[in-house]
Amino acid sequence: MEVYTAEELCYVLKENAFLLDKSIVGKRLIEWLDEECGLKELAKELCRCLDRSVTLSDFVMTILEYVGLYEEPILQKTRELLRQGENLTSYEKEKSRIDVLVQQGKYVQALKEYDILLKELPEVENLLSARVLHNKGVAYAGMFQFSRAAQCFYRSFEMYPFQETYLSYLAAKRMQLTDQEYVDFVSKQPEAYEDSMELEKRVEALRRSWQERERESQPDKYLLIQELKQQYRRNCGEFQ
């Protein structure tokens, strides 16, 4: 990512705090701040940081505090994210970076990079592999490819049997199948009954929440739709 000012650098550091690693700690960045930005005092302080072998968090916060672009609440949050990120492996940071692509709706790119990461992960990283497969399922679901989403969720569940992953699997199957097909599917798996009931509770809660938001945002339109529904039901009853 190209930056041209110290303020742009601070923005990039803050926005990617959780993903940063020690590769940014070095003389190249210090020289850029000195020669291109004219921040000689900051460059000297960062050189002293290198001599003291400070943590990534201290190095980045030295830059953010010196430039003064952000107020203390934002600095505190960034400091916490940096400390959390310091405990992550390179594989976990790579997963977190790809997760951002999913959150941004860049599903195709995310799926390609998840596949690359899965190939790189050693066998001992079963838990991380399961989490990556789960998020592949989320990406497929975002593309309405519910069959593939269900496959990813189930593979993840087989590796690590988390209830939330199984609920995601059932949700994908519910979206993939017709109502009758889904009922038949669940009935053939007695162990899925309680989870399927939990899923229905969540679906109903989401439906009520959505209806409430619709009622609040467009009360007249909502009431009209409800009235039309009641009239339709009455007419259907008369035809019977």
Side-chain angles (χ1 to χ4, degrees):
M1 187 176 294
E2 294 183 358
V3 295
Y4 298 93
T5 67
E7 289 76 13
E8 289 178 346
L9 172 65
C10 289
Y11 174 80
V12 171
L13 294 176
K14 179 184 79 70
E15 291 297 307
N16 298 277
F18 193 67
L19 306 176
L20 297 175
D21 58 39
K22 279 221 166 187
S23 64
I24 70 165
V25 179
K27 290 188 176 181
R28 184 180 177 187
L29 178 58
I30 296 173
E31 290 172 354
W32 179 79
L33 287 166
D34 183 2
E35 299 170 6
E36 299 294 330
C37 301
L39 300 175
K40 298 188 179 300
E41 289 302 317
L42 174 58
K44 290 179 181 178
E45 180 59 31
L46 292 175
C47 284
R48 288 192 285 270
C49 288
L50 287 184
D51 293 337
R52 299 196 303 270
S53 299
V54 299
T55 64
L56 169 68
S57 175
D58 289 337
F59 186 86
V60 173
M61 292 309 302
T62 298
I63 298 173
L64 295 178
E65 290 170 356
Y66 184 93
V67 176
L69 184 63
Y70 298 110
E71 296 181 355
E72 183 55 34
I74 295 178
L75 291 175
Q76 180 61 31
K77 183 178 179 180
T78 304
R79 189 179 293 111
E80 292 172 2
L81 288 172
L82 284 165
R83 288 171 180 168
Q84 292 173 19
E86 285 178 341
N87 297 322
L88 297 180
T89 67
S90 59
Y91 296 120
E92 290 171 324
K93 288 194 175 185
E94 180 65 7
K95 175 190 168 294
S96 296
R97 184 187 66 79
I98 304 172
D99 291 345
V100 173
L101 296 177
V102 177
Q103 294 166 9
Q104 295 173 343
K106 299 177 181 178
Y107 302 124
V108 174
Q109 183 180 352
L111 287 167
K112 290 179 179 178
E113 299 201 29
Y114 278 141
D115 285 337
I116 294 173
L117 178 57
L118 284 170
K119 291 179 181 178
E120 294 176 348
L121 285 173
E123 292 184 4
V124 294
E125 293 282 4
N126 279 353
L127 175 57
L128 187 56
S129 295
R131 291 168 59 197
V132 171
L133 283 168
H134 179 102
N135 288 5
K136 275 191 68 178
V138 173
Y140 275 124
M143 299 169 65
F144 302 99
Q145 296 186 24
F146 298 113
S147 176
R148 291 185 176 182
Q151 291 173 10
C152 289
F153 289 135
Y154 194 73
R155 286 177 60 199
S156 175
F157 180 75
E158 286 182 314
M159 297 184 76
Y160 265 87
F162 293 126
Q163 184 189 26
E164 289 301 317
T165 300
Y166 192 71
L167 287 171
S168 297
Y169 166 66
L170 289 179
K173 297 299 288 187
R174 191 179 188 278
M175 297 297 292
Q176 173 195 352
L177 304 173
T178 65
D179 289 347
Q180 186 57 53
E181 288 173 339
Y182 178 70
V183 170
D184 293 341
F185 167 76
V186 173
S187 66
K188 293 176 182 177
Q189 304 182 66
E191 71 279 3
Y193 177 77
E194 291 186 6
D195 287 317
S196 68
M197 290 298 98
E198 173 62 24
L199 176 62
E200 293 310 308
K201 289 179 184 178
R202 296 188 184 188
V203 170
E204 183 57 31
L206 287 170
R207 183 182 290 113
R208 288 197 300 268
S209 176
W210 176 81
Q211 290 175 340
E212 186 63 29
R213 288 198 301 270
E214 283 291 294
R215 187 182 299 114
E216 292 174 355
S217 62
Q218 303 182 58
D220 295 336
K221 178 180 177 182
Y222 179 83
L223 291 173
L224 175 60
I225 292 173
Q226 294 302 103
E227 182 180 341
L228 290 172
K229 283 182 178 180
Q230 293 298 328
Q231 182 179 346
Y232 173 76
R233 292 187 183 111
R234 287 195 297 270
N235 291 338
C236 289
E238 290 171 2
F239 290 144
Q240 291 174 3

